[in-house]
Amino acid sequence: MKGTIGLIALFLAVPGLVAALAAMGVGQEKTGRESLGQWAVHDLDRPHPPVVHPGPETSPAPVPSDAVVLFDGKDLAKWEDGKGEPARWKIEKGFMEVVAKTGSIRTKMGFGDCQLHVEWAAPAAVVGEGQGRGNSGVFLMEMYEVQVLDSYENVTYADGMAASIYGQYPPLVNACRKPGEWQSYDIVFHRPRFDAEGKLVAAARMTVFHNGILVHDDVELSGPTAHKARPPYKAHPDKLPISLQDHGNPVRYRNIWVRPLE
């Protein structure tokens, strides 16, 4: 009780402290849908997060013994295109690379609640700006996206930058490395729950680390990812594929594994 009283006194004693913390984004993500409702989709006035340098790129992360390895640098045997045909992305030197106009790829297996590790690199040669620079995406259940983008000294709308939950939440910080350097996402995903009649019981939630730095802290998703829209949830199976987006840029991926949590 004494500690609580002390905190209250501190807040009262420092004018504007609460407002200052809010401006910094402290505590905003925990409010879930309420904070999301403050902003229109891709609102250009939405504040950008501060830049945090994550340190130099690292070797591929070790794979846990209970993980399902989705890509080990050798082949795309566990992936297919959107029509169920063999994935046509390029394999070279231990990574896969998006081949423009071949389409997004997805896992042959379905997943629900999971811990997903993905390593990616935007093209070293900088071409374009904003959303046209190193654009791809990691989709949980083919519909809930963590954006891949070269956001190193590259400005776009805040909810579309690297590590954003696209169209919903900017990351808490911009932890991007330079173009061409390897980066990592570690995502803890909890799928939405629906009752027997298809009514939403619990929204999907995500925690995301970008290059080892927390950028989303157990946020509640408003629904599936969409461009310039926030559609509501619709009932879907408990397990669906993980997909990687072909957005026309030669983004590279390596060392992808997942730990089912259900």
Side-chain angles (χ1 to χ4, degrees):
M1 177 64 74
K2 183 181 294 184
T4 302
I5 294 172
L7 285 172
I8 294 172
L10 175 62
F11 273 80
L12 292 175
V14 183
L17 178 58
V18 175
L21 290 173
M24 293 169 60
V26 176
Q28 287 186 0
E29 288 205 328
K30 283 303 221 180
T31 62
R33 245 179 242 172
E34 290 75 19
S35 64
L36 181 60
Q38 296 174 12
W39 303 102
V41 180
H42 310 328
D43 191 332
L44 295 177
D45 292 328
R46 194 167 186 174
H48 285 75
V51 174
V52 171
H53 297 288
E57 63 180 342
T58 60
S59 301
V63 181
S65 62
D66 63 346
V68 177
V69 177
L70 298 176
F71 179 67
D72 62 2
K74 297 177 182 178
D75 57 52
L76 291 171
K78 294 183 179 178
W79 299 81
E80 62 186 15
D81 68 13
K83 297 179 180 179
E85 300 294 329
R88 291 177 288 164
W89 289 12
K90 181 170 68 174
I91 303 293
E92 184 178 307
K93 298 179 181 178
F95 59 79
M96 67 166 105
E97 182 176 290
V98 178
V99 175
K101 299 182 179 180
T102 61
S104 300
I105 63 173
R106 65 189 182 193
T107 58
K108 295 178 180 179
M109 295 177 62
F111 301 92
D113 292 0
C114 64
Q115 174 190 346
L116 175 65
H117 177 85
V118 177
E119 298 178 19
W120 60 274
V126 175
V127 177
E129 59 184 3
Q131 292 291 301
R133 192 167 132 184
N135 194 324
S136 183
V138 178
F139 286 77
L140 284 300
M141 307 191 88
E142 290 195 281
M143 64 182 78
Y144 307 104
E145 181 187 14
V146 178
Q147 172 78 320
V148 169
L149 193 77
D150 177 7
S151 289
Y152 186 85
E153 299 180 353
N154 178 36
V155 179
T156 186
Y157 41 84
D159 62 0
M161 61 185 295
S164 63
I165 297 177
Y166 189 81
Q168 298 187 35
Y169 299 103
L172 290 171
V173 297
N174 179 352
C176 255
R177 293 193 173 107
K178 294 179 180 180
E181 295 185 354
W182 284 102
Q183 319 208 39
S184 66
Y185 286 161
D186 288 282
I187 303 167
V188 178
F189 175 74
H190 293 282
R191 64 174 175 82
R193 265 62 178 176
F194 304 94
D195 64 17
E197 298 178 352
K199 182 180 178 181
L200 181 69
V201 175
R205 305 192 72 87
M206 273 196 205
T207 295
V208 182
F209 291 82
H210 183 193
N211 293 329
I213 297 172
L214 180 68
V215 293
H216 296 290
D217 186 6
D218 190 33
V219 294
E220 180 180 291
L221 278 60
S222 66
T225 297
H227 181 56
K228 296 184 178 180
R230 290 188 185 132
Y233 285 98
K234 292 184 179 179
H236 57 68
D238 293 347
K239 294 184 179 182
L240 288 168
I242 294 165
S243 62
L244 303 175
Q245 184 183 41
D246 169 13
H247 204 279
N249 299 145
V251 175
R252 296 174 175 178
Y253 290 93
R254 72 179 186 188
N255 192 28
I256 305 175
W257 48 263
V258 62
R259 298 180 60 248
L261 300 179
E262 293 192 68

